[in-house]
Amino acid sequence: MSYDLMVFNCQKVPCEFGQLRPWLHTHMEEDVLPEKTPALFCSFLEQIQNIFPPADACLEDQFHDACDYEIHEDFIYLCFAYSAAEKAHGIVKRQAKADHLGFWDVSQSFDRTFPVTLPTDRWPMILEAQWIPHGKQFVYHFEEVQKVLKQMKKVERSSLCLTDRQGNYIQAGGFLDASIIEVRMYTDASTYRHLRADLKKENTAEDAQITINHFQIPVPESQIFSRNQVCQLFLNFTEETLFDEQNIFWKTQNL
C-alpha cells in the first residue's frame, strides 16, 4: 500500500476537492508526459529529491525514503512507502508552499478534513488545550483563538497551542496573568527552530517561578508575559508577523 501525494499548478488545476479527483483520473490516463520537467516544478524537485530520492535511482540504504515521481505538465504525483507517510506529508506540504504550488493529500491519511492546501491558505488552524472537547478544534479566525485564550484562568487551563497548516506552532503556558511563550518555526521544509520569547536580549534577571499544570517551572522573569501580550503574539502568529516585534527577543531552546 502506498501513500500518495500531489503538488500542482494552482492556475491550471481545479482546486475544489469535488472536481480534483475526477480531473486527476482523466489526466493520469490521457496526459502525454513532458520530456523535460516544467520550469514551475524544477525548484520543488531539486529540494524534495534530495530528501526522497527517485525509487529507480536510489541506493539500497535510502530505499525507505524512496519516492516514485510521475511528472506531468501541470502536476506531479508522488508515491511513497507508507512507512514514510508522516515524514513525507509535512516536508512535501512545506516545500509546495515555498514553491507556490498546491498540495493534495491524495491518500487523505493526515488531512482528511482539509486534504487540499493552497500556498496562501492560513486557516483553519488547530487549537489544542486540555479543556477543549476531544483535545483540539479547528479555528477559522483570530477571534476564536482570543476567546479561548481568555479562558486561561485556572491551573487546569494552563496551556494552549495553536498550529498552522504548515506545522508551525505557538504555545502559551502559565496561570492567570503570567505565561511563557514558545514557538516552533520551520526554516525550510524539513528543519525547524524551537524558540522562547524574552523581553531582554540577555538573561540577567533572577529566575522567577510560575505554575504550569501543577509544576513549578523556573524561568527568567523577562520571559513571563501578561495575557494581553500573549494575545498580541498569538495574533502576530496568525498574521505571519510574529518576528516583527522589535522589543521581543526569540531564544533557541534545546529539546
Side-chain angles (χ1 to χ4, degrees):
M1 183 176 180
S2 66
Y3 174 62
D4 299 348
L5 300 174
M6 182 175 122
V7 297
F8 58 90
N9 182 345
C10 306
Q11 306 301 317
K12 298 289 187 66
V13 178
C15 301
E16 296 80 7
F17 182 60
Q19 299 179 31
L20 190 48
R21 193 173 292 277
W23 184 94
L24 173 64
H25 286 165
T26 298
H27 285 265
M28 286 289 281
E29 294 176 0
E30 298 180 2
D31 277 3
V32 175
L33 301 184
E35 295 182 4
K36 183 178 180 181
T37 299
L40 181 70
F41 300 124
C42 287
S43 173
F44 171 84
L45 283 174
E46 180 180 359
Q47 299 300 320
I48 289 297
Q49 289 183 345
N50 283 333
I51 304 171
F52 302 105
D56 59 358
C58 73
L59 301 175
E60 185 175 347
D61 62 354
Q62 297 176 304
F63 203 71
H64 58 284
D65 282 335
C67 175
D68 281 320
Y69 297 88
E70 186 169 319
I71 303 169
H72 292 245
E73 193 66 41
D74 296 319
F75 69 96
I76 301 176
Y77 199 86
L78 306 94
C79 298
F80 299 88
Y82 219 85
S83 58
E86 185 172 2
K87 176 181 178 181
H89 175 89
I91 291 176
V92 172
K93 178 191 278 190
R94 285 185 287 273
Q95 192 61 51
K97 178 178 174 63
D99 290 313
H100 310 290
L101 301 173
F103 168 89
W104 179 21
D105 184 354
V106 182
S107 294
Q108 293 186 62
S109 298
F110 299 94
D111 285 344
R112 292 183 180 90
T113 307
F114 304 97
V116 181
T117 299
L118 304 182
T120 57
D121 284 346
R122 296 285 295 153
W123 303 95
M125 297 187 187
I126 297 174
L127 196 62
E128 297 176 86
Q130 290 180 339
W131 70 91
I132 294 176
H134 310 295
K136 64 182 180 180
Q137 67 186 53
F138 289 109
V139 288
Y140 294 82
H141 47 76
F142 176 70
E143 286 72 18
E144 293 180 89
V145 180
Q146 188 176 36
K147 180 180 178 180
V148 180
L149 279 168
K150 290 180 178 178
Q151 297 172 1
M152 292 179 65
K153 300 177 181 179
K154 304 176 183 179
V155 173
E156 64 267 22
R157 296 185 172 186
S158 60
S159 60
L160 187 70
C161 181
L162 180 66
T163 306
D164 70 12
R165 299 288 290 269
Q166 308 304 322
N168 303 301
Y169 67 66
I170 182 169
Q171 58 184 4
F175 181 53
L176 293 177
D177 206 36
S179 296
I180 59 175
I181 299 290
E182 295 183 355
V183 298
R184 179 179 73 184
M185 301 298 293
Y186 278 88
T187 55
D188 57 38
S190 59
T191 308
Y192 66 83
R193 298 177 66 197
H194 186 216
L195 308 166
R196 180 176 291 175
D198 200 313
L199 294 169
K200 292 185 177 181
K201 191 171 185 179
E202 302 293 338
N203 290 339
T204 56
E206 293 185 2
D207 283 352
Q209 296 278 335
I210 64 172
T211 300
I212 301 179
N213 291 342
H214 304 289
F215 291 99
Q216 291 289 330
I217 299 180
V219 296
E221 187 174 359
S222 58
Q223 293 182 357
I224 299 177
F225 289 78
S226 69
R227 187 185 306 163
N228 286 339
Q229 290 172 313
V230 170
C231 285
Q232 183 60 50
L233 290 174
F234 270 70
L235 174 61
N236 291 352
F237 176 82
T238 65
E239 295 179 340
E240 296 187 294
T241 59
L242 187 62
F243 300 106
D244 293 350
E245 175 57 66
Q246 296 182 356
N247 295 323
I248 293 178
F249 303 93
W250 293 94
K251 300 185 177 179
T252 299
Q253 302 298 297
N254 295 318
L255 296 180

